[in-house]
mmCIF file with all atom_site columns, all heavy atoms in Angstrom:
data_model
loop_
_atom_site.group_PDB
_atom_site.id
_atom_site.type_symbol
_atom_site.label_atom_id
_atom_site.label_alt_id
_atom_site.label_comp_id
_atom_site.label_asym_id
_atom_site.label_entity_id
_atom_site.label_seq_id
_atom_site.pdbx_PDB_ins_code
_atom_site.Cartn_x
_atom_site.Cartn_y
_atom_site.Cartn_z
_atom_site.occupancy
_atom_site.B_iso_or_equiv
_atom_site.pdbx_formal_charge
_atom_site.auth_seq_id
_atom_site.auth_comp_id
_atom_site.auth_asym_id
_atom_site.auth_atom_id
_atom_site.pdbx_PDB_model_num
ATOM 1   N N   . MET T 1 1   ? 0.850  -1.198 0.000  1.00 0.00 ? 1   MET T N   1
ATOM 2   C CA  . MET T 1 1   ? 0.000  0.000  0.000  1.00 0.00 ? 1   MET T CA  1
ATOM 3   C C   . MET T 1 1   ? 0.886  1.249  0.000  1.00 0.00 ? 1   MET T C   1
ATOM 4   O O   . MET T 1 1   ? 1.852  1.318  0.738  1.00 0.00 ? 1   MET T O   1
ATOM 5   C CB  . MET T 1 1   ? -0.852 -0.001 1.289  1.00 0.00 ? 1   MET T CB  1
ATOM 6   C CG  . MET T 1 1   ? -1.850 1.142  1.342  1.00 0.00 ? 1   MET T CG  1
ATOM 7   S SD  . MET T 1 1   ? -2.635 1.285  2.958  1.00 0.00 ? 1   MET T SD  1
ATOM 8   C CE  . MET T 1 1   ? -3.461 -0.280 3.118  1.00 0.00 ? 1   MET T CE  1
ATOM 9   N N   . LEU T 1 6   ? 3.963  13.825 4.268  1.00 0.00 ? 6   LEU T N   1
ATOM 10  C CA  . LEU T 1 6   ? 4.310  15.227 4.013  1.00 0.00 ? 6   LEU T CA  1
ATOM 11  C C   . LEU T 1 6   ? 5.219  15.717 5.132  1.00 0.00 ? 6   LEU T C   1
ATOM 12  O O   . LEU T 1 6   ? 4.862  15.623 6.312  1.00 0.00 ? 6   LEU T O   1
ATOM 13  C CB  . LEU T 1 6   ? 3.026  16.072 3.967  1.00 0.00 ? 6   LEU T CB  1
ATOM 14  C CG  . LEU T 1 6   ? 3.183  17.600 3.920  1.00 0.00 ? 6   LEU T CG  1
ATOM 15  C CD1 . LEU T 1 6   ? 3.895  18.049 2.655  1.00 0.00 ? 6   LEU T CD1 1
ATOM 16  C CD2 . LEU T 1 6   ? 1.812  18.274 4.010  1.00 0.00 ? 6   LEU T CD2 1
ATOM 17  N N   . ARG T 1 69  ? -3.209 20.346 8.841  1.00 0.00 ? 69  ARG T N   1
ATOM 18  C CA  . ARG T 1 69  ? -3.737 19.049 9.297  1.00 0.00 ? 69  ARG T CA  1
ATOM 19  C C   . ARG T 1 69  ? -5.259 18.995 9.176  1.00 0.00 ? 69  ARG T C   1
ATOM 20  O O   . ARG T 1 69  ? -5.836 18.014 8.700  1.00 0.00 ? 69  ARG T O   1
ATOM 21  C CB  . ARG T 1 69  ? -3.333 18.796 10.758 1.00 0.00 ? 69  ARG T CB  1
ATOM 22  C CG  . ARG T 1 69  ? -3.735 17.415 11.274 1.00 0.00 ? 69  ARG T CG  1
ATOM 23  C CD  . ARG T 1 69  ? -4.177 17.436 12.735 1.00 0.00 ? 69  ARG T CD  1
ATOM 24  N NE  . ARG T 1 69  ? -5.372 18.233 12.935 1.00 0.00 ? 69  ARG T NE  1
ATOM 25  C CZ  . ARG T 1 69  ? -6.614 17.790 12.725 1.00 0.00 ? 69  ARG T CZ  1
ATOM 26  N NH1 . ARG T 1 69  ? -6.826 16.549 12.317 1.00 0.00 ? 69  ARG T NH1 1
ATOM 27  N NH2 . ARG T 1 69  ? -7.653 18.584 12.911 1.00 0.00 ? 69  ARG T NH2 1
ATOM 28  N N   . ALA T 1 142 ? 26.072 4.683  38.889 1.00 0.00 ? 142 ALA T N   1
ATOM 29  C CA  . ALA T 1 142 ? 24.736 4.943  39.442 1.00 0.00 ? 142 ALA T CA  1
ATOM 30  C C   . ALA T 1 142 ? 24.664 6.374  39.954 1.00 0.00 ? 142 ALA T C   1
ATOM 31  O O   . ALA T 1 142 ? 23.705 7.099  39.700 1.00 0.00 ? 142 ALA T O   1
ATOM 32  C CB  . ALA T 1 142 ? 24.438 3.946  40.559 1.00 0.00 ? 142 ALA T CB  1
ATOM 33  N N   . VAL T 1 160 ? 6.007  5.257  18.172 1.00 0.00 ? 160 VAL T N   1
ATOM 34  C CA  . VAL T 1 160 ? 5.192  6.194  17.384 1.00 0.00 ? 160 VAL T CA  1
ATOM 35  C C   . VAL T 1 160 ? 3.948  5.469  16.868 1.00 0.00 ? 160 VAL T C   1
ATOM 36  O O   . VAL T 1 160 ? 2.845  6.028  16.851 1.00 0.00 ? 160 VAL T O   1
ATOM 37  C CB  . VAL T 1 160 ? 6.024  6.781  16.220 1.00 0.00 ? 160 VAL T CB  1
ATOM 38  C CG1 . VAL T 1 160 ? 5.136  7.615  15.305 1.00 0.00 ? 160 VAL T CG1 1
ATOM 39  C CG2 . VAL T 1 160 ? 7.172  7.620  16.764 1.00 0.00 ? 160 VAL T CG2 1
ATOM 40  N N   . LEU T 1 208 ? 16.361 19.785 2.420  1.00 0.00 ? 208 LEU T N   1
ATOM 41  C CA  . LEU T 1 208 ? 17.829 19.726 2.360  1.00 0.00 ? 208 LEU T CA  1
ATOM 42  C C   . LEU T 1 208 ? 18.300 18.678 1.350  1.00 0.00 ? 208 LEU T C   1
ATOM 43  O O   . LEU T 1 208 ? 19.429 18.749 0.857  1.00 0.00 ? 208 LEU T O   1
ATOM 44  C CB  . LEU T 1 208 ? 18.386 19.410 3.748  1.00 0.00 ? 208 LEU T CB  1
ATOM 45  C CG  . LEU T 1 208 ? 19.762 19.975 4.077  1.00 0.00 ? 208 LEU T CG  1
ATOM 46  C CD1 . LEU T 1 208 ? 19.754 21.495 3.991  1.00 0.00 ? 208 LEU T CD1 1
ATOM 47  C CD2 . LEU T 1 208 ? 20.197 19.561 5.472  1.00 0.00 ? 208 LEU T CD2 1
ATOM 48  N N   . ILE T 1 218 ? 8.689  18.645 1.635  1.00 0.00 ? 218 ILE T N   1
ATOM 49  C CA  . ILE T 1 218 ? 9.022  17.420 0.893  1.00 0.00 ? 218 ILE T CA  1
ATOM 50  C C   . ILE T 1 218 ? 7.839  16.449 1.007  1.00 0.00 ? 218 ILE T C   1
ATOM 51  O O   . ILE T 1 218 ? 7.210  16.381 2.063  1.00 0.00 ? 218 ILE T O   1
ATOM 52  C CB  . ILE T 1 218 ? 10.278 16.765 1.537  1.00 0.00 ? 218 ILE T CB  1
ATOM 53  C CG1 . ILE T 1 218 ? 11.528 17.541 1.176  1.00 0.00 ? 218 ILE T CG1 1
ATOM 54  C CG2 . ILE T 1 218 ? 10.427 15.313 1.166  1.00 0.00 ? 218 ILE T CG2 1
ATOM 55  C CD1 . ILE T 1 218 ? 12.053 17.284 -0.213 1.00 0.00 ? 218 ILE T CD1 1
ATOM 56  N N   . PHE T 1 227 ? 10.853 3.936  -2.303 1.00 0.00 ? 227 PHE T N   1
ATOM 57  C CA  . PHE T 1 227 ? 10.159 5.215  -2.098 1.00 0.00 ? 227 PHE T CA  1
ATOM 58  C C   . PHE T 1 227 ? 10.502 6.186  -3.226 1.00 0.00 ? 227 PHE T C   1
ATOM 59  O O   . PHE T 1 227 ? 11.496 6.016  -3.939 1.00 0.00 ? 227 PHE T O   1
ATOM 60  C CB  . PHE T 1 227 ? 10.533 5.836  -0.744 1.00 0.00 ? 227 PHE T CB  1
ATOM 61  C CG  . PHE T 1 227 ? 11.958 6.319  -0.638 1.00 0.00 ? 227 PHE T CG  1
ATOM 62  C CD1 . PHE T 1 227 ? 12.290 7.654  -0.911 1.00 0.00 ? 227 PHE T CD1 1
ATOM 63  C CD2 . PHE T 1 227 ? 12.976 5.464  -0.258 1.00 0.00 ? 227 PHE T CD2 1
ATOM 64  C CE1 . PHE T 1 227 ? 13.600 8.106  -0.805 1.00 0.00 ? 227 PHE T CE1 1
ATOM 65  C CE2 . PHE T 1 227 ? 14.289 5.907  -0.143 1.00 0.00 ? 227 PHE T CE2 1
ATOM 66  C CZ  . PHE T 1 227 ? 14.602 7.234  -0.416 1.00 0.00 ? 227 PHE T CZ  1
ATOM 67  N N   . VAL T 1 229 ? 10.703 10.467 -3.836 1.00 0.00 ? 229 VAL T N   1
ATOM 68  C CA  . VAL T 1 229 ? 10.755 11.734 -3.096 1.00 0.00 ? 229 VAL T CA  1
ATOM 69  C C   . VAL T 1 229 ? 10.644 12.902 -4.066 1.00 0.00 ? 229 VAL T C   1
ATOM 70  O O   . VAL T 1 229 ? 11.216 12.882 -5.162 1.00 0.00 ? 229 VAL T O   1
ATOM 71  C CB  . VAL T 1 229 ? 12.031 11.807 -2.219 1.00 0.00 ? 229 VAL T CB  1
ATOM 72  C CG1 . VAL T 1 229 ? 13.305 11.663 -3.031 1.00 0.00 ? 229 VAL T CG1 1
ATOM 73  C CG2 . VAL T 1 229 ? 12.077 13.119 -1.429 1.00 0.00 ? 229 VAL T CG2 1
ATOM 74  N N   . ALA T 1 236 ? 12.652 23.741 -6.293 1.00 0.00 ? 236 ALA T N   1
ATOM 75  C CA  . ALA T 1 236 ? 13.396 22.710 -5.554 1.00 0.00 ? 236 ALA T CA  1
ATOM 76  C C   . ALA T 1 236 ? 13.325 21.388 -6.308 1.00 0.00 ? 236 ALA T C   1
ATOM 77  O O   . ALA T 1 236 ? 12.252 20.805 -6.441 1.00 0.00 ? 236 ALA T O   1
ATOM 78  C CB  . ALA T 1 236 ? 12.832 22.560 -4.144 1.00 0.00 ? 236 ALA T CB  1
ATOM 79  N N   . LEU T 1 257 ? 22.637 3.078  9.192  1.00 0.00 ? 257 LEU T N   1
ATOM 80  C CA  . LEU T 1 257 ? 21.965 3.972  10.123 1.00 0.00 ? 257 LEU T CA  1
ATOM 81  C C   . LEU T 1 257 ? 21.278 3.113  11.179 1.00 0.00 ? 257 LEU T C   1
ATOM 82  O O   . LEU T 1 257 ? 20.419 2.293  10.843 1.00 0.00 ? 257 LEU T O   1
ATOM 83  C CB  . LEU T 1 257 ? 20.941 4.805  9.353  1.00 0.00 ? 257 LEU T CB  1
ATOM 84  C CG  . LEU T 1 257 ? 20.241 5.887  10.150 1.00 0.00 ? 257 LEU T CG  1
ATOM 85  C CD1 . LEU T 1 257 ? 21.211 7.020  10.445 1.00 0.00 ? 257 LEU T CD1 1
ATOM 86  C CD2 . LEU T 1 257 ? 19.037 6.406  9.359  1.00 0.00 ? 257 LEU T CD2 1
ATOM 87  N N   . ALA T 1 285 ? 18.230 -1.955 2.417  1.00 0.00 ? 285 ALA T N   1
ATOM 88  C CA  . ALA T 1 285 ? 17.879 -3.126 3.218  1.00 0.00 ? 285 ALA T CA  1
ATOM 89  C C   . ALA T 1 285 ? 17.736 -2.777 4.699  1.00 0.00 ? 285 ALA T C   1
ATOM 90  O O   . ALA T 1 285 ? 18.467 -1.935 5.221  1.00 0.00 ? 285 ALA T O   1
ATOM 91  C CB  . ALA T 1 285 ? 18.953 -4.200 3.059  1.00 0.00 ? 285 ALA T CB  1
ATOM 92  N N   . LEU T 1 295 ? 20.286 6.389  24.384 1.00 0.00 ? 295 LEU T N   1
ATOM 93  C CA  . LEU T 1 295 ? 20.020 7.318  25.489 1.00 0.00 ? 295 LEU T CA  1
ATOM 94  C C   . LEU T 1 295 ? 20.816 8.593  25.294 1.00 0.00 ? 295 LEU T C   1
ATOM 95  O O   . LEU T 1 295 ? 21.931 8.575  24.753 1.00 0.00 ? 295 LEU T O   1
ATOM 96  C CB  . LEU T 1 295 ? 20.429 6.690  26.832 1.00 0.00 ? 295 LEU T CB  1
ATOM 97  C CG  . LEU T 1 295 ? 19.728 5.391  27.230 1.00 0.00 ? 295 LEU T CG  1
ATOM 98  C CD1 . LEU T 1 295 ? 20.315 4.880  28.552 1.00 0.00 ? 295 LEU T CD1 1
ATOM 99  C CD2 . LEU T 1 295 ? 18.219 5.605  27.385 1.00 0.00 ? 295 LEU T CD2 1
ATOM 100 N N   . LEU T 1 341 ? 41.310 29.875 46.823 1.00 0.00 ? 341 LEU T N   1
ATOM 101 C CA  . LEU T 1 341 ? 40.889 28.797 45.916 1.00 0.00 ? 341 LEU T CA  1
ATOM 102 C C   . LEU T 1 341 ? 42.109 28.163 45.248 1.00 0.00 ? 341 LEU T C   1
ATOM 103 O O   . LEU T 1 341 ? 42.913 28.858 44.634 1.00 0.00 ? 341 LEU T O   1
ATOM 104 C CB  . LEU T 1 341 ? 39.988 29.351 44.819 1.00 0.00 ? 341 LEU T CB  1
ATOM 105 C CG  . LEU T 1 341 ? 38.478 29.431 45.066 1.00 0.00 ? 341 LEU T CG  1
ATOM 106 C CD1 . LEU T 1 341 ? 37.779 29.956 43.819 1.00 0.00 ? 341 LEU T CD1 1
ATOM 107 C CD2 . LEU T 1 341 ? 37.910 28.083 45.469 1.00 0.00 ? 341 LEU T CD2 1
ATOM 108 N N   . LEU T 1 348 ? 40.005 28.697 34.522 1.00 0.00 ? 348 LEU T N   1
ATOM 109 C CA  . LEU T 1 348 ? 40.179 30.055 33.987 1.00 0.00 ? 348 LEU T CA  1
ATOM 110 C C   . LEU T 1 348 ? 40.916 29.916 32.668 1.00 0.00 ? 348 LEU T C   1
ATOM 111 O O   . LEU T 1 348 ? 42.024 29.387 32.617 1.00 0.00 ? 348 LEU T O   1
ATOM 112 C CB  . LEU T 1 348 ? 40.995 30.913 34.964 1.00 0.00 ? 348 LEU T CB  1
ATOM 113 C CG  . LEU T 1 348 ? 41.380 32.305 34.435 1.00 0.00 ? 348 LEU T CG  1
ATOM 114 C CD1 . LEU T 1 348 ? 40.160 33.166 34.174 1.00 0.00 ? 348 LEU T CD1 1
ATOM 115 C CD2 . LEU T 1 348 ? 42.321 33.003 35.424 1.00 0.00 ? 348 LEU T CD2 1
ATOM 116 N N   . GLU T 1 349 ? 40.257 30.343 31.608 1.00 0.00 ? 349 GLU T N   1
ATOM 117 C CA  . GLU T 1 349 ? 40.834 30.171 30.287 1.00 0.00 ? 349 GLU T CA  1
ATOM 118 C C   . GLU T 1 349 ? 40.603 31.438 29.470 1.00 0.00 ? 349 GLU T C   1
ATOM 119 O O   . GLU T 1 349 ? 39.530 32.033 29.541 1.00 0.00 ? 349 GLU T O   1
ATOM 120 C CB  . GLU T 1 349 ? 40.134 28.989 29.592 1.00 0.00 ? 349 GLU T CB  1
ATOM 121 C CG  . GLU T 1 349 ? 40.731 28.636 28.257 1.00 0.00 ? 349 GLU T CG  1
ATOM 122 C CD  . GLU T 1 349 ? 39.875 27.646 27.467 1.00 0.00 ? 349 GLU T CD  1
ATOM 123 O OE1 . GLU T 1 349 ? 38.775 27.311 27.893 1.00 0.00 ? 349 GLU T OE1 1
ATOM 124 O OE2 . GLU T 1 349 ? 40.343 27.255 26.376 1.00 0.00 ? 349 GLU T OE2 1
ATOM 125 N N   . ILE T 1 353 ? 40.468 35.576 20.174 1.00 0.00 ? 353 ILE T N   1
ATOM 126 C CA  . ILE T 1 353 ? 39.648 35.672 18.966 1.00 0.00 ? 353 ILE T CA  1
ATOM 127 C C   . ILE T 1 353 ? 40.414 36.503 17.942 1.00 0.00 ? 353 ILE T C   1
ATOM 128 O O   . ILE T 1 353 ? 40.761 37.653 18.199 1.00 0.00 ? 353 ILE T O   1
ATOM 129 C CB  . ILE T 1 353 ? 38.281 36.307 19.292 1.00 0.00 ? 353 ILE T CB  1
ATOM 130 C CG1 . ILE T 1 353 ? 37.533 35.442 20.315 1.00 0.00 ? 353 ILE T CG1 1
ATOM 131 C CG2 . ILE T 1 353 ? 37.457 36.479 18.010 1.00 0.00 ? 353 ILE T CG2 1
ATOM 132 C CD1 . ILE T 1 353 ? 36.297 36.088 20.884 1.00 0.00 ? 353 ILE T CD1 1
ATOM 133 N N   . ALA T 1 358 ? 38.783 29.392 17.415 1.00 0.00 ? 358 ALA T N   1
ATOM 134 C CA  . ALA T 1 358 ? 37.890 28.333 16.909 1.00 0.00 ? 358 ALA T CA  1
ATOM 135 C C   . ALA T 1 358 ? 38.555 26.958 16.950 1.00 0.00 ? 358 ALA T C   1
ATOM 136 O O   . ALA T 1 358 ? 37.898 25.962 17.224 1.00 0.00 ? 358 ALA T O   1
ATOM 137 C CB  . ALA T 1 358 ? 37.446 28.641 15.485 1.00 0.00 ? 358 ALA T CB  1
ATOM 138 N N   . LEU T 1 392 ? 36.856 39.636 40.452 1.00 0.00 ? 392 LEU T N   1
ATOM 139 C CA  . LEU T 1 392 ? 38.245 39.768 40.902 1.00 0.00 ? 392 LEU T CA  1
ATOM 140 C C   . LEU T 1 392 ? 39.199 40.005 39.721 1.00 0.00 ? 392 LEU T C   1
ATOM 141 O O   . LEU T 1 392 ? 40.111 40.826 39.794 1.00 0.00 ? 392 LEU T O   1
ATOM 142 C CB  . LEU T 1 392 ? 38.627 38.503 41.683 1.00 0.00 ? 392 LEU T CB  1
ATOM 143 C CG  . LEU T 1 392 ? 39.931 38.540 42.489 1.00 0.00 ? 392 LEU T CG  1
ATOM 144 C CD1 . LEU T 1 392 ? 39.867 37.521 43.618 1.00 0.00 ? 392 LEU T CD1 1
ATOM 145 C CD2 . LEU T 1 392 ? 41.150 38.257 41.619 1.00 0.00 ? 392 LEU T CD2 1
ATOM 146 N N   . THR T 1 448 ? -5.370 13.197 25.403 1.00 0.00 ? 448 THR T N   1
ATOM 147 C CA  . THR T 1 448 ? -6.203 14.253 25.985 1.00 0.00 ? 448 THR T CA  1
ATOM 148 C C   . THR T 1 448 ? -7.050 14.882 24.882 1.00 0.00 ? 448 THR T C   1
ATOM 149 O O   . THR T 1 448 ? -6.559 15.084 23.764 1.00 0.00 ? 448 THR T O   1
ATOM 150 C CB  . THR T 1 448 ? -5.302 15.362 26.588 1.00 0.00 ? 448 THR T CB  1
ATOM 151 O OG1 . THR T 1 448 ? -4.278 14.749 27.369 1.00 0.00 ? 448 THR T OG1 1
ATOM 152 C CG2 . THR T 1 448 ? -6.097 16.322 27.458 1.00 0.00 ? 448 THR T CG2 1
#
Side-chain angles (χ1 to χ4, degrees):
Chain T
M1 184 190 299
L6 171 63
R69 185 217 64 83
V160 173
L208 210 60
I218 285 282
F227 69 94
V229 58
L257 186 72
L295 300 177
L341 272 182
L348 173 64
E349 185 191 6
I353 299 170
L392 192 156
T448 313

